[in-house]
Amino acid sequence: MKEVSIILVGLSAYGIENYDTACLRAKTAGGVEILFVTSHAVGETLPLMSEFIFEKTRVELQAGSALRAVFNDGQTREYRLPASDQSFNKLWQCIEAVRTGFRPVCGPEAARAQTLCMNGAQESMPEIISFPQGMIRRRRDEKGQEYVFAENLSATLENCYGEWKLPSEKDIPWSRPGRRIGLSAYEWYPGGKRAME
């Protein structure tokens, strides 16, 4: 990971200590740009979606469905995912590693890039922005439990993702740009101390 810039937003007045909405742009050492948009503060649940853009094709993956390749010439091809539930595979591998010394496929070094990116993200925007009170809504789910969400947030984030922009790049009123943080020689995460200086 070479650098990261982010916006972190939260319903902080509702007992959330950190962000519940993140829009992140990161660049790898190889020059690949990554845009990541996520939120727990939306009024509706949307399936997890990933999109990988290559020179000659775009690959889409939506949770629970097939992997779909869309080629530049308009052709498409779908690849079926394994039928079995793989969601706990990492956990079982870790348990096996403790019991037998088996080396998991995804060891600590594989998590380094994600940890580096998240540390840089927290430094990019050490102070979490709160959504304006006028956006805050409450609703009860099918079990009768109340949850809090930001009105129209889902549509705003989908629009940002579709245009490959952070909310601050679209001048969304509640947004604010994070600082660009270089990660090439990143050695330690200072928490709030260095980020607030």
Side-chain angles (χ1 to χ4, degrees):
M1 201 59 58
K2 183 178 178 186
E3 61 185 44
V4 66
S5 180
I6 192 167
I7 177 171
L8 302 175
V9 188
L11 299 167
S12 58
Y14 299 91
I16 296 173
E17 295 178 12
N18 207 326
Y19 62 92
D20 54 30
T21 301
C23 301
L24 175 141
R25 183 187 311 284
K27 191 174 280 188
T28 68
V32 175
E33 188 174 270
I34 299 167
L35 181 69
F36 180 71
V37 178
T38 189
S39 180
H40 292 288
V42 292
E44 56 280 327
T45 302
L46 299 174
L48 178 66
M49 200 269 289
S50 297
E51 183 178 49
F52 305 91
I53 301 171
F54 300 97
E55 187 177 324
K56 296 181 180 180
T57 190
R58 184 178 80 246
V59 178
E60 304 167 345
L61 174 61
Q62 194 166 29
S65 65
L67 195 67
R68 182 172 182 246
V70 181
F71 297 91
N72 290 351
D73 64 6
Q75 293 183 53
T76 63
R77 184 169 179 184
E78 290 201 4
Y79 301 89
R80 291 186 331 162
L81 299 176
S84 61
D85 182 8
Q86 299 291 316
S87 57
F88 288 100
N89 193 31
K90 287 183 191 177
L91 174 62
W92 302 133
Q93 284 191 15
C94 289
I95 291 170
E96 191 67 18
V98 171
R99 286 182 44 231
T100 66
F102 164 79
R103 184 175 170 87
V105 174
C106 185
E109 58 282 346
R112 183 182 187 282
Q114 180 181 358
T115 303
L116 180 65
C117 188
M118 290 303 96
N119 287 352
Q122 288 285 177
E123 280 200 63
S124 176
M125 182 155 282
E127 194 173 315
I128 308 303
I129 300 169
S130 293
F131 288 109
Q133 284 298 314
M135 285 181 68
I136 308 302
R137 300 289 181 265
R138 295 173 184 274
R139 185 182 296 158
R140 293 198 178 274
D141 64 17
E142 60 278 353
K143 297 178 183 175
Q145 293 186 333
E146 184 179 71
Y147 67 96
V148 180
F149 64 97
E151 187 175 40
N152 296 323
L153 179 60
S154 181
T156 298
L157 295 181
E158 282 188 274
N159 185 265
C160 287
Y161 181 79
E163 293 183 23
W164 202 255
K165 291 186 175 183
L166 298 173
S168 58
E169 295 167 343
K170 290 179 57 64
D171 297 322
I172 305 295
W174 48 259
S175 68
R176 192 172 80 215
R179 294 182 302 129
R180 178 178 266 160
I181 302 293
L183 299 173
S184 296
Y186 197 88
E187 294 181 1
W188 63 288
Y189 174 62
K193 184 180 177 188
R194 186 171 78 189
M196 297 301 279
E197 292 176 346

